[in-house]
Amino acid sequence: VPGQTPTGHRPPTPQPKHRRRPNTYPEDHAVRKTGYRVRRRVPWNRLTADEGHTILRIARASTEWSRRKVVAWITDHEDVAVSEATVYRLLMPAWS
């Protein structure tokens, strides 16, 4: 019989070589658990309130910088990837 050893027993089913990592995401205000998935409360392409406050704080502290330089500094030194247009949109109400 194919798949059986000479003694008549089937070999054990091989176990997967990888195991699913346990969910180790922090339980903070920006994350919510749904089953085994972790989902942000805001869409992936929107800034959280904390990220927006960080951008405004840095832009107000360095008024002599251009938007492009503010974006480069934020991307290099903070944990935020943001575009020049986003910084412009955030600063428009502050200028009014």
Side-chain angles (χ1 to χ4, degrees), residues 3-90:
Q4 289 186 351
T5 61
T7 59
H9 298 292
R10 289 188 171 206
T13 306
Q15 296 296 319
K17 295 187 191 246
H18 66 281
R19 294 185 183 233
R20 197 170 117 204
R21 286 182 14 189
N23 191 356
T24 57
Y25 292 104
E27 290 292 332
D28 62 356
H29 65 277
V31 180
R32 147 174 86 98
K33 272 187 154 178
T34 326
Y36 66 91
R37 291 187 176 170
V38 174
R39 217 177 336 163
R40 288 174 53 128
R41 288 189 180 163
V42 294
W44 66 270
N45 58 350
R46 291 228 179 110
L47 295 175
T48 62
D50 292 339
E51 292 168 342
H53 292 305
T54 300
I55 292 168
L56 287 175
R57 177 179 48 83
I58 292 168
R60 287 178 181 151
S62 53
T63 55
E64 68 279 355
W65 288 356
S66 66
R67 288 188 305 270
R68 186 172 293 171
K69 190 166 183 176
V70 169
V71 168
W73 194 92
I74 289 171
T75 304
D76 290 344
H77 295 90
E78 298 290 325
D79 194 20
V80 179
V82 66
S83 70
E84 186 178 347
T86 302
V87 171
Y88 179 77
R89 283 193 301 270
L90 281 173

